[in-house]
Amino acid sequence: MDKLENILEQFNDLDTERTFNDYDSNKSGVFAIFAYLLPILFFLPYVSDNNSAYCKFHSNQSFIWLLTVIVVGILCSILGLVPIIGFIAKRIFFPLFVLAVDLAFVVGSLKGKAYRLPFVGSLINIF
């Protein structure tokens, strides 16, 4: 478990995490979880408290996660045209990728962390 936490800490934005307070993560944590598990609900944490740094951060990350799932889904569908590679991409890689990232985001939001999606997590700031 320590190795997993060390891996996830590489994606933690400590400066952003310092702006969070415990009250926000306890109060709005459920909304952040729903936003990660169903990325179409990315706005839920922001709607719950639009003055909270915690809620704004998790709404942004959930929105980026939604865009990433769409793009990776399209790429897997294109790869789906190739017989064996397509099956592996669509039926194995894509669901495992989504599950792993969802779990990491959910664990991070419960712990009050500021995990950013690698490569694209800091590109968009709409909230």
Side-chain angles (χ1 to χ4, degrees), residues 3-70:
K3 289 182 181 183
L4 179 62
E5 287 181 19
N6 289 338
I7 292 171
L8 291 177
E9 278 302 312
Q10 294 176 3
F11 305 109
N12 192 16
D13 185 349
L14 291 174
D15 293 332
T16 303
E17 183 183 334
R18 288 184 189 110
T19 64
F20 298 167
N21 65 41
D22 292 335
Y23 176 74
D24 287 340
S25 60
N26 290 335
K27 183 182 106 181
S28 303
V30 173
F31 296 113
I33 291 170
F34 280 122
Y36 288 127
L37 293 177
L38 297 169
I40 196 75
L41 301 175
F42 65 89
F43 56 88
L44 274 182
Y46 182 76
V47 171
S48 73
D49 186 358
N50 61 359
N51 293 322
S52 165
Y54 175 86
C55 292
K56 289 178 182 180
F57 175 81
H58 288 294
S59 287
N60 278 321
Q61 288 305 300
S62 182
F63 179 68
I64 293 168
W65 178 229
L66 172 67
L67 296 178
T68 303
V69 166
I70 291 170

Side-chain angles (χ1 to χ4, degrees), residues 60-127:
N60 278 321
Q61 288 305 300
S62 182
F63 179 68
I64 293 168
W65 178 229
L66 172 67
L67 296 178
T68 303
V69 166
I70 291 170
V71 169
V72 172
I74 291 170
L75 292 175
C76 285
S77 293
I78 292 170
L79 281 175
L81 301 174
V82 179
I84 295 172
I85 296 172
F87 177 79
I88 292 170
K90 284 178 72 172
R91 304 286 185 222
I92 298 171
F93 170 75
F94 184 68
L96 288 177
F97 168 74
V98 170
L99 180 65
V101 175
D102 274 347
L103 289 176
F105 274 140
V106 166
V107 167
S109 66
L110 286 173
K111 290 183 175 182
K113 301 286 185 178
Y115 294 154
R116 288 193 187 273
L117 197 60
F119 308 113
V120 294
S122 59
L123 294 178
I124 300 172
N125 245 348
I126 59 172
F127 296 106

